[in-house]
Amino acid sequence: ETGVTQTPRHLVMGMTNKKSLKCEQHLGHNAMYWYKQSAKKPLELMFVYNFKEQTENNSVPSRFSPECPNSSHLFLHLHTLQPEDSALYLCASSQGRGDTDTQYFGPGTRLTVL
Amino acid sequence: TQLLEQSPQFLSIQEGENLTVYCNSSSVFSSLQWYRQEPGEGPVLLVTVVTGGEVKKLKRLTFQFGDARKDSSLHITAAQPGDTGLYLCAGRSTLGRLYFGRGTQLTVWP
């Protein structure tokens, strides 16, 4: 248990569906992150939020829409996804400062797009 | 893009053997982290190394940061089945961004 929870753990959706992934951290951290983990690729950083403000968007397609209503919660809204978007989506949180800043990851949501 | 190459990609060994996995880059990092990820879980931090040439030990695991802060190695002594997992290295750039390698999938058989 890392203090970061993600729901749902598994999600299967069609290309026309709309769904949302939820992340919650109980660590009092200021920064939250969305990563995509695909087979044969490094972990890809998607979005970064610091103090609820988006500070990084790594050229992520608009079919992925993040939302950070407060410093403890992070959502990833999904719509009209493609099969190649199937992956493990990981949320992480950290204090957000310094060379030794440690990111704490949730268990991920395994997404399958049919 | 600051690419981190990890080798080997897969490693399958018997319990009790020693092993070393590598993380290499042409870029300089201000720090480097090693994570272990088990099936169905997110990565969990094992260690952070900051100084070039630094060596850190965590029980049977020894981590080394290269003198030039471009590479790192992880050595496991007398591997156990509980060491099985995906080992990821992540380098922090001078601008603060964290870059991950693809990982080494280690399997230790009883």
Side-chain angles (χ1 to χ4, degrees):
Chain A
E1 179 62 49
T2 62
V4 181
T5 58
Q6 290 187 244
T7 55
R9 295 293 306 272
H10 301 271
L11 179 62
V12 179
M13 58 188 289
M15 292 167 61
T16 58
N17 292 157
K18 289 186 179 181
K19 296 286 183 183
S20 295
L21 310 185
K22 179 182 177 182
C23 175
E24 184 173 359
Q25 59 100 357
H26 309 274
L27 301 168
H29 288 159
N30 301 314
M32 295 188 77
Y33 312 79
W34 279 117
Y35 285 89
K36 177 183 179 182
Q37 188 174 35
S38 309
K40 301 181 183 178
K41 283 188 176 182
L43 269 170
E44 299 173 70
L45 180 64
M46 300 174 71
F47 301 104
V48 181
Y49 279 82
N50 272 286
F51 295 96
K52 303 187 298 177
E53 298 296 321
Q54 189 180 126
T55 56
E56 198 161 342
N57 174 341
N58 288 303
S59 304
V60 180
S62 59
R63 57 185 184 270
F64 295 91
S65 175
E67 179 189 359
C68 189
N70 55 63
S71 57
S72 299
H73 294 85
L74 185 64
F75 295 88
L76 188 62
H77 304 298
L78 316 171
H79 63 97
T80 59
L81 293 192
Q82 305 297 312
E84 59 265 28
D85 296 323
S86 298
L88 181 68
Y89 288 84
L90 290 161
C91 172
S93 72
S94 77
Q95 291 287 6
R97 293 185 299 273
D99 288 342
T100 58
D101 187 43
T102 298
Q103 294 189 12
Y104 293 81
F105 286 84
T109 295
R110 174 68 63 184
L111 174 67
T112 303
V113 181
L114 302 176
Chain B
T1 301
Q2 299 189 260
L3 192 63
L4 277 162
E5 297 282 355
Q6 289 192 245
S7 61
Q9 188 177 352
F10 298 96
L11 188 55
S12 183
I13 61 171
Q14 292 293 130
E15 182 175 3
E17 292 184 23
N18 300 332
L19 66 112
T20 302
V21 297
Y22 300 92
C23 175
N24 296 296
S25 177
S26 57
S27 301
V28 175
F29 294 102
S30 60
S31 65
L32 195 135
Q33 297 179 325
W34 284 92
Y35 291 78
R36 180 169 67 209
Q37 184 176 16
E38 299 184 19
E41 301 295 333
V44 175
L45 181 70
L46 297 173
V47 77
T48 301
V49 284
V50 180
T51 307
E54 182 176 1
V55 176
K56 279 193 175 178
K57 292 192 174 184
L58 186 67
K59 296 184 180 177
R60 293 175 294 100
L61 279 59
T62 302
F63 304 85
Q64 183 160 11
F65 201 12
D67 291 341
R69 305 208 316 274
K70 294 182 179 182
D71 52 80
S72 181
S73 63
L74 159 58
H75 181 79
I76 302 179
T77 303
Q80 298 178 2
D83 295 326
T84 293
L86 178 68
Y87 287 81
L88 296 163
C89 69
R92 188 173 300 280
S93 73
T94 52
L95 296 178
R97 172 95 182 267
L98 199 61
Y99 294 86
F100 282 84
R102 293 184 188 185
T104 292
Q105 180 62 54
L106 172 66
T107 304
V108 183
W109 299 98

